Amino acid sequence: MLKKLASSIKKDFKEESFLEIISGSAATFLIRLLGLIVGYAFTFLISRYYGSQVLGAHTLSVTVLMMFSVIGRMGMDTHLVKNFAKDHADGRWDKILEVYKKTTMVIIPVGLILSVILYFSSGLIAQYIFNKPFLEPYFKIISFAVLPMVMRFINSECYRGFRRNKEYAYSQNVGYLLYASVILGIFSIFDRNALLPNIAFAASLFLLTFSSSFLILKEIKSHSKISADSLPVADMIRHSLPMMLATSLLLISGWLNTIMLGIWSTETDVGIYSVILKISTLSTFVLMSINSIAAPRFAQLHAKGNKEGLNIYVGQISKVIFFSSIPIFLFIIIFRDWLLDLFGEEFVIGSQALLITMIGQFFNVFAGSVGAILNMTGHQVAFRNILGISTIINIIACVIFIPLYGLMGSAIAGMIFMGCWNLISMVYIKMKFNIKTYFWPF
């Protein structure tokens, strides 16, 4: 078996596409790793200087922000990747300019409206959803970041469509957290106001949005000064909305666990759970790094009708994901108490919850790039339906387990959700394309 496996890997290394996966994902992985370190630094600053309760309040407010930003994006970030990947390969910069202009024309007013809604409904959300009135100022401050957060996702996906994987990884994972850490570190020298983490977070998103928007427009206009006029805005929205629903279900289902934990448990538990999610996410860094370079490639192969090429490419990706992720999994599981203790002694009580969360992340890595494959091959509606079913199961699990077990209950529900949507998607792709998205050497 080992000889057969070694022979298969040796053969893969002779393939140009496999080498592209290795080199591209390695660079992206390192940048994402930097983002993780910077993110840990930001979380560390909050936990050490402000305590787990402020960290919990910040986590809840950012979770609400992310939910509003999903609506604000309207699925257009995913739609951009599909369009940009094809138009970039064809050298149609005029169409790229058209899509970007029309996307921002829709996104900016929607983002501003959502920002106003969040600001004026902050008291209602704090009082009637979380039953924690003290959260109102946190929500008010974070409401100013709705449009910048939306534009962060839009601009990040532009980079990915251009196959600028390093820029994509920096914009998506490093930039805003780096700015937030620097701003918070400086401000904390002079003041320890509990609202400073939210102020720093919002300010960092403004900085990233202005800089990335300027650079993207400069890049596009260096190739084309005139935009095409062949794509009606209504058609863009019609194709984007199914992707928005799929992305919304995926993200909101993950955030539901944090929100319901905030409703039925304490801010301390929310703070500990946020750290658990940060640590467990490290295990999916290889998957996310590969998805960042693979999604445009999926779209190109599908557009050309190259089913055999798509099958080979997915198989190569699954091997890289498996062998790169297993060591990280083992490290986190073995040293989970030590990792949690880095944030403070009070976080170590989340050790068993982290173990349960890691089981859920294993399903995520084992299934492979199922979400990217379905979205990039025109099966976003099927992906939306799969996530819809899994979301209902997740809500039921949260209602059952969180009131009973608190932090552990949230981890159990999250594990069930991860297992459901990944395994169902994996089976669907096998039945639809006859493509095996996972790799199992035994």
Side-chain angles (χ1 to χ4, degrees), residues 396-412:
I396 295 170
C398 284
V399 171
I400 293 173
F401 292 115
I402 293 178
L404 291 175
Y405 305 114
L407 179 62
M408 181 64 76
S410 186
I412 293 171

Side-chain angles (χ1 to χ4, degrees), residues 151-318:
M151 288 303 300
R152 169 198 155 221
F153 281 100
I154 294 295
N155 290 340
S156 296
E157 296 306 318
C158 288
Y159 287 129
R160 186 153 68 140
F162 297 153
R163 303 191 75 175
R164 297 284 187 86
N165 299 313
K166 295 175 184 177
E167 290 85 347
Y168 167 76
Y170 179 83
S171 178
Q172 188 80 332
N173 302 102
V174 181
Y176 72 105
L177 290 171
L178 176 61
Y179 304 151
S181 298
V182 172
I183 294 169
L184 183 61
I186 294 173
F187 274 68
S188 295
I189 296 173
F190 305 101
D191 192 11
R192 295 290 170 83
N193 189 303
L195 298 176
L196 276 177
N198 277 25
I199 295 171
F201 192 84
S204 69
L205 287 168
F206 273 98
L207 288 173
L208 181 66
T209 295
F210 282 122
S211 60
S212 61
S213 297
F214 173 78
L215 292 173
I216 287 168
L217 278 172
K218 183 179 178 181
E219 170 74 11
I220 297 173
K221 289 187 175 182
S222 68
H223 294 86
S224 177
K225 301 291 184 183
I226 303 173
S227 65
D229 193 19
S230 58
L231 185 62
V233 173
D235 285 353
M236 290 177 59
I237 296 173
R238 181 168 56 86
H239 287 97
S240 298
L241 284 179
M243 297 181 186
M244 182 202 76
L245 293 172
T247 304
S248 301
L249 288 169
L250 178 59
L251 296 176
I252 290 173
S253 291
W255 298 327
L256 273 174
N257 302 65
T258 300
I259 290 173
M260 291 191 175
L261 188 63
I263 294 172
W264 284 314
S265 191
T266 64
E267 293 74 46
T268 298
D269 274 355
V270 174
I272 295 170
Y273 189 61
S274 71
V275 169
I276 288 172
L277 293 179
K278 285 184 180 297
I279 294 173
S280 66
T281 301
L282 178 61
S283 64
T284 63
F285 258 40
V286 175
L287 174 64
M288 292 186 293
S289 299
I290 288 178
N291 280 347
S292 67
I293 66 169
R297 183 69 171 161
F298 292 151
Q300 290 173 359
L301 290 170
H302 180 259
K304 294 177 181 178
N306 190 352
K307 293 183 180 180
E308 182 180 356
L310 182 62
N311 197 351
I312 293 171
Y313 192 66
V314 171
Q316 292 170 341
I317 282 173
S318 64

Side-chain angles (χ1 to χ4, degrees), residues 272-395:
I272 295 170
Y273 189 61
S274 71
V275 169
I276 288 172
L277 293 179
K278 285 184 180 297
I279 294 173
S280 66
T281 301
L282 178 61
S283 64
T284 63
F285 258 40
V286 175
L287 174 64
M288 292 186 293
S289 299
I290 288 178
N291 280 347
S292 67
I293 66 169
R297 183 69 171 161
F298 292 151
Q300 290 173 359
L301 290 170
H302 180 259
K304 294 177 181 178
N306 190 352
K307 293 183 180 180
E308 182 180 356
L310 182 62
N311 197 351
I312 293 171
Y313 192 66
V314 171
Q316 292 170 341
I317 282 173
S318 64
K319 288 181 185 178
V320 177
I321 292 172
F322 182 86
F323 286 113
S324 302
S325 300
I326 290 300
I328 302 173
F329 264 95
L330 294 176
F331 177 82
I332 294 174
I333 290 172
I334 293 171
F335 296 102
R336 62 185 186 276
D337 287 353
W338 175 76
L339 290 169
L340 288 166
D341 188 55
L342 291 175
F343 296 88
E345 291 183 8
E346 60 185 324
F347 291 88
V348 180
I349 63 173
S351 177
Q352 294 305 310
L354 176 55
L355 181 61
I356 296 297
T357 303
M358 289 303 299
I359 296 173
Q361 292 292 4
F362 178 78
F363 288 119
N364 194 15
V365 169
F366 176 74
S369 304
V370 289
I373 293 171
L374 291 172
N375 272 329
M376 294 297 112
T377 57
H379 290 79
Q380 59 268 21
V381 174
F383 188 45
R384 178 201 65 193
N385 295 338
I386 291 169
L387 290 172
I389 295 169
S390 302
T391 298
I392 293 171
I393 294 172
N394 185 35
I395 292 172

Side-chain angles (χ1 to χ4, degrees), residues 42-94:
F42 187 61
T43 303
F44 180 83
L45 285 171
I46 300 173
S47 62
R48 287 291 187 179
Y49 291 148
Y50 300 90
S52 58
Q53 185 175 16
V54 172
L55 178 60
H58 170 73
T59 301
L60 287 174
S61 56
V62 171
T63 302
V64 172
L65 167 67
M66 294 296 284
M67 295 182 74
F68 272 76
S69 74
V70 168
I71 300 171
R73 281 143 54 190
M74 299 176 66
M76 287 193 170
D77 51 338
T78 309
H79 186 256
L80 276 174
V81 177
K82 288 185 67 177
N83 280 273
F84 278 23
K86 183 178 182 300
D87 294 335
H88 184 260
D90 295 339
R92 292 298 307 272
W93 286 93
D94 59 324

